[in-house]
Amino acid sequence: MSCPFCDLINHPDDPHVIEVGAHTSVLLDRAPVFLGHALIVPTAHVEHLLVADPEVVIEVMRRSQEVAIAAMDAYRADGILTVTNTIVSQSVPHLHVHVIARHQGDGLRGFLWPRKRYSSQEELLEYRDRLRGSLVGRSPYASD
């Protein structure tokens, strides 16, 4: 199966390609939320965040930060939306981070998902404890 991002990386003269690097590449989204909407991808194919080597994740996020700072300047943005979908709603099965320049009053509301509230303090604690329990031993940052 062909990967659209790998195809772009292999055709660096395509107008959607901003740069192809050794570890990460920067592309313009073909269907941008706002003009200038960029995608930061690992140059080597990685399907999604959950299977990526942590060093790849570090490089992708490092470059995402640099692109976000550049987009603030290039588009005179008031802020940046950075987001990655993992499996569900991931339209291209190649890890990517969206970097989208935002402007006050740009009309982007409810774009990502409907918001919910916990029905009770008990429900909040249940969800907290379930995730906390699943994290134990998975991260060097987990507390005892």
Side-chain angles (χ1 to χ4, degrees):
M1 182 192 322
S2 177
C3 170
F5 295 163
C6 290
D7 291 345
L8 284 172
I9 290 165
N10 290 321
H11 294 95
D13 292 335
D14 186 289
H16 290 92
V17 176
I18 296 171
E19 68 177 24
V20 174
H23 303 288
T24 61
S25 295
V26 182
L27 313 170
L28 285 176
D29 195 296
R30 289 184 185 255
V33 173
F34 295 117
L35 301 181
H37 174 165
L39 304 170
I40 293 68
V41 304
T43 299
H45 186 82
V46 176
E47 193 168 326
H48 56 74
L49 180 66
L50 303 182
V51 297
D53 182 282
E55 293 302 316
V56 170
V57 175
I58 289 167
E59 285 298 316
V60 168
M61 290 310 297
R62 181 192 59 75
R63 193 65 181 138
S64 297
Q65 181 186 38
E66 293 168 352
V67 171
I69 291 167
M72 287 283 293
D73 180 54
Y75 307 128
R76 298 180 202 249
D78 298 317
I80 298 289
L81 172 65
T82 54
V83 65
T84 186
N85 291 306
T86 303
I87 305 169
V88 173
S89 296
Q90 185 180 352
S91 59
V92 176
H94 186 132
L95 172 62
H96 57 285
V97 174
H98 298 260
V99 174
I100 304 166
R102 299 288 313 277
H103 295 90
Q104 292 291 335
D106 63 17
L108 188 59
R109 297 185 194 278
F111 166 70
L112 296 175
W113 51 78
R115 303 304 282 263
K116 300 190 181 319
R117 294 192 183 273
Y118 293 98
S119 63
S120 65
Q121 182 74 9
E122 291 77 23
E123 186 178 49
L124 169 75
L125 295 173
E126 175 193 346
Y127 275 82
R128 181 201 66 191
D129 292 345
R130 285 170 59 187
L131 186 55
R132 187 181 274 170
S134 187
L135 280 171
V136 172
R138 293 181 189 247
S139 168
Y141 306 106
S143 60
D144 295 34

